[in-house]
Amino acid sequence: MATSPRRSRDDWIRAATVALRDGGVDALRVEPLAVALGVTKGSFYWHFASRDALLEAVLDTWEEVGTGAIIVAVDAEAEDDPERSLRALWRRTHELSSEMRAELAIRDLAQRDEAVRDRVRRVDDRRMAYLRRQYRRLGLPAGLAEARAMLTYSLLFGNVLVEATHGRTSRARVLQRAIDDLLRPA
Amino acid sequence: MATSPRRSRDDWIRAATVALRDGGVDALRVEPLAVALGVTKGSFYWHFASRDALLEAVLDTWEEVGTGAIIVAVDAEAEDDPERSLRALWRRTHELSSEMRAELAIRDLAQRDEAVRDRVRRVDDRRMAYLRRQYRRLGLPAGLAEARAMLTYSLLFGNVLVEATHGRTSRARVLQRAIDDLLRPA
DNA sequence: ACCTGAACACCGTTCAAGT
DNA sequence: ACCTGAACACCGTTCAAGT
């Protein structure tokens, strides 16, 4: 994986994303990444202006994958059926829960960085709009659709948080029950 | 606030907790804390073995406040009525949401620290047990009580996450609706 | 166009010495 | 019992110089 001495900008972004997932913001460090990539840390500054610029690039990727890409994938499999959309979204998020963990680090960051906060806000808004639309298409009135969308979004997140420490065992049935509870008619 | 040159162990813990809340794990740094407390960083190592030992002490406080203390307070005001317990818990968590934000940093940490993970697990278990008990006392069957407890816990967390970036405005009505939805009978 | 190597600043940690 | 001050290691950043 580190035969050629030359690294592209994308090589740095990929390595940084993995570091963020596995070790949090603290692990997104120039020197260790340089060692992992087999170059000196000085070379990093040809590709990026700073450690912050690298973080920006990582966040760009996260934002696109966590909204546009996942929605396209879910729509492709749901064939315009809102209930199938919601169940597909649930399953995919569940499958992605290890990747989703970078979100914890990002949301923690958002608390003290205005620019990151704006990004997270955009991502939440797009995701909530998608959920709200599915519940409306199921026939729920606006107020209840909004409430269910929020419960669903919270459940998806709560699950990522709890799985991060508790693991995935023995919760599948309870989760299924919660999802069914959310999908019942008004 | 910094007249006497002598600092107690608790002075360091308090300052570190504030730093964790406001700036995340990255801000829990010995040298800046020493400057803020008006002593040299060398003096820190009389009170604590390491930066990690300080973090441990901060987590001890968080664990007790986030489980025992809040449950005692809610029970005192709810007078044995499970619905009042749940609404009181909701309101208090909501009021504490800025303090709760330290949880984001802690849960992020838990992903790569076994000991922190065990703590978070204990905290989640104690909180879930409390919620489950209230729903059982409302008369729900075990499976549904478990599902509602998980939805409630997720909603409390989702709300902290979303408020961290979106602020508290204009969501009160939707949240009230979601809570009412969770409190309906089987 | 991309990288090295040396330099400097910041902070965690140690420890002998002070009061 | 609690703190200082100097030392060292690690990593972010800069930059002149190499290929």
Side-chain angles (χ1 to χ4, degrees):
Chain A
M1 206 199 209
T3 43
S4 152
R6 295 293 171 104
R7 300 292 159 216
S8 69
R9 192 183 154 86
D10 274 348
D11 289 331
W12 286 95
I13 294 176
R14 262 190 294 275
T17 301
V18 171
L20 183 65
R21 258 173 216 167
D22 294 351
V25 189
D26 267 359
L28 203 155
R29 291 186 183 284
V30 175
E31 188 166 62
L33 285 174
V35 172
L37 288 171
V39 290
T40 64
K41 60 182 173 173
S43 77
F44 168 81
Y45 289 90
W46 191 87
H47 296 284
F48 297 91
S50 64
R51 178 180 180 275
D52 268 0
L54 174 59
L55 182 57
E56 286 284 310
V58 169
L59 291 173
D60 283 339
T61 303
W62 164 74
E63 187 170 349
E64 167 52 21
V65 170
T67 57
I70 193 168
I71 287 175
V72 165
V74 165
D75 278 346
E77 117 174 42
E79 289 172 3
D80 239 39
D81 177 340
E83 174 164 349
R84 284 184 65 188
S85 295
L86 288 165
R87 294 195 187 272
L89 186 64
W90 167 259
R91 188 169 32 71
R92 276 176 189 273
T93 311
H94 198 247
E95 282 164 9
L96 286 173
S97 79
S98 71
E99 282 88 346
M100 286 275 294
R101 286 179 201 172
E103 288 227 9
L104 275 186
I106 291 171
R107 283 170 189 275
D108 185 40
L109 244 180
Q111 296 181 189
R112 67 205 91 94
D113 184 311
E114 179 90 32
V116 178
R117 192 154 52 239
D118 286 344
R119 280 174 185 278
V120 173
R121 232 182 283 240
R122 273 201 305 275
V123 167
D124 284 341
D125 288 345
R126 291 183 62 185
R127 289 171 173 174
M128 274 292 288
Y130 183 81
L131 290 171
R132 196 184 299 119
R133 193 150 50 82
Q134 307 313 311
Y135 281 113
R136 291 305 318 258
R137 288 170 66 211
L138 274 177
L140 298 191
L144 189 55
E146 180 73 23
R148 294 275 175 90
M150 187 176 300
L151 280 166
T152 303
Y153 196 46
S154 296
L155 182 64
L156 291 172
F157 261 116
N159 190 48
V160 171
L161 283 178
V162 173
E163 278 193 355
T165 48
H166 293 244
R168 192 172 290 192
T169 46
S170 84
R171 306 179 61 252
R173 227 169 316 155
V174 182
L175 286 166
Q176 194 52 55
R177 178 94 194 222
I179 296 290
D180 291 341
D181 198 36
L182 288 173
L183 282 171
R184 75 188 184 284
Chain B
M1 207 201 211
T3 43
S4 152
R6 295 293 171 105
R7 301 290 160 217
S8 70
R9 191 182 155 86
D10 274 349
D11 287 333
W12 286 96
I13 294 176
R14 261 190 294 276
T17 302
V18 170
L20 182 64
R21 256 171 217 166
D22 294 351
V25 189
D26 267 0
L28 203 155
R29 290 186 183 283
V30 175
E31 189 166 60
L33 286 174
V35 171
L37 288 170
V39 288
T40 64
K41 60 182 173 172
S43 78
F44 168 82
Y45 289 90
W46 192 87
H47 296 284
F48 297 91
S50 66
R51 177 180 181 275
D52 268 0
L54 173 60
L55 182 58
E56 286 284 308
V58 168
L59 292 174
D60 284 339
T61 304
W62 163 75
E63 187 170 348
E64 167 50 21
V65 169
T67 56
I70 194 168
I71 286 175
V72 165
V74 164
D75 279 345
E77 116 175 45
E79 289 172 1
D80 238 37
D81 175 341
E83 175 164 349
R84 284 184 65 189
S85 295
L86 288 165
R87 292 194 188 276
L89 185 64
W90 167 260
R91 187 168 34 69
R92 276 177 190 272
T93 311
H94 199 249
E95 282 164 9
L96 287 173
S97 80
S98 72
E99 281 89 344
M100 286 275 293
R101 285 178 202 174
E103 289 228 5
L104 274 186
I106 292 170
R107 283 171 188 276
D108 185 41
L109 245 180
Q111 296 183 189
R112 67 205 91 95
D113 185 310
E114 178 89 35
V116 178
R117 192 156 50 238
D118 287 343
R119 281 174 185 278
V120 173
R121 231 181 286 239
R122 273 201 305 276
V123 167
D124 284 340
D125 288 344
R126 290 185 62 184
R127 289 171 174 173
M128 275 292 287
Y130 183 82
L131 289 171
R132 197 183 299 119
R133 194 152 48 83
Q134 306 312 311
Y135 281 112
R136 291 303 322 254
R137 287 171 66 211
L138 274 178
L140 299 191
L144 189 56
E146 180 72 24
R148 293 276 176 89
M150 186 176 302
L151 281 165
T152 304
Y153 196 46
S154 296
L155 182 64
L156 291 172
F157 260 116
N159 190 51
V160 171
L161 282 178
V162 173
E163 277 193 355
T165 49
H166 293 245
R168 193 172 292 193
T169 46
S170 84
R171 306 180 61 250
R173 227 168 316 156
V174 183
L175 287 167
Q176 193 54 54
R177 180 92 194 227
I179 296 290
D180 291 341
D181 198 36
L182 289 174
L183 283 170
R184 77 191 182 284

